[in-house]
Amino acid sequence: GAPCGAAASLAPPAGRLPGGAAPPRPNAVSRMPPAEDRPLHELPITALAARLREGALSPLALTEHFLQRIAMLNGPLNAYKLVLRERALAEARAAESLLRAGCALGPLHGIPYATKDIYDVAGLPTTAGSRLLEGSVAARPAAAAAYSASNMSSQIETPRVTVRPPA
């Protein structure tokens, strides 16, 4: 069998939040159209995860949706410095294969994500938004990273702390 059967049980039951709590009831101010009437990029991550587990949505389709949104909006927004389209699609295909085999590696399995330019990802540039670090390429990934909530632009003002596992 799949080596991840225990990990698949990490997801909360359908319609419940982690810890088993029921989601809050919407009020007149927070009411939104039903999920089936909203585009994927407006759905909460819990709804996307549920659709992936049910097979109603594939990781590849979800990733393609977000890549299309990035292509359409990144020019005017300049929100992404680096988009790894082929890598994202390859990882989505791998996640899809595992889900089809009944193997979910956790509640976010198949959900595409972006990392901030302050976290080391092996082989990719990490500049923390500073020209002082242009050309800086991470040799290995960060095990964990801490960042202060600051919108500073220079390396001197923007802390970048990387916590690495012992060698």
Side-chain angles (χ1 to χ4, degrees):
C4 61
S9 66
L10 295 176
R16 306 300 278 185
L17 298 174
R25 293 179 175 260
N27 59 37
V29 176
S30 68
R31 240 179 233 141
M32 296 190 77
E36 58 273 1
D37 295 338
R38 295 171 22 211
L40 292 174
H41 56 273
E42 290 183 5
L43 294 178
I45 198 166
T46 53
L48 294 172
R51 286 184 179 190
L52 290 172
R53 298 303 162 269
E54 295 162 0
L57 176 64
S58 76
L60 187 58
L62 182 60
T63 300
E64 287 172 338
H65 174 83
F66 282 109
L67 287 170
Q68 288 171 356
R69 296 270 306 163
I70 291 167
M72 180 176 66
L73 298 171
N74 197 46
L77 296 177
N78 194 29
Y80 294 94
K81 185 170 185 157
L82 176 66
V83 177
L84 302 169
R85 180 178 176 75
E86 295 308 315
R87 180 175 173 167
L89 292 171
E91 289 184 13
R93 285 184 199 99
E96 194 165 320
S97 293
L98 286 170
L99 287 173
R100 282 186 183 155
C103 180
L105 299 179
L108 297 179
H109 185 85
I111 302 285
Y113 67 94
T115 59
K116 208 161 165 53
D117 185 30
I118 57 169
Y119 299 108
D120 288 340
V121 177
L124 298 178
T126 306
T127 68
S130 171
R131 284 184 242 169
L132 295 173
L133 290 174
E134 288 201 12
S136 172
V137 176
R140 61 185 187 171
Y147 178 69
S148 72
S150 159
N151 195 19
M152 309 286 181
S153 60
S154 77
Q155 174 59 27
I156 295 166
E157 299 167 329
T158 305
R160 184 177 109 190
V161 179
T162 303
V163 180
R164 299 193 187 282

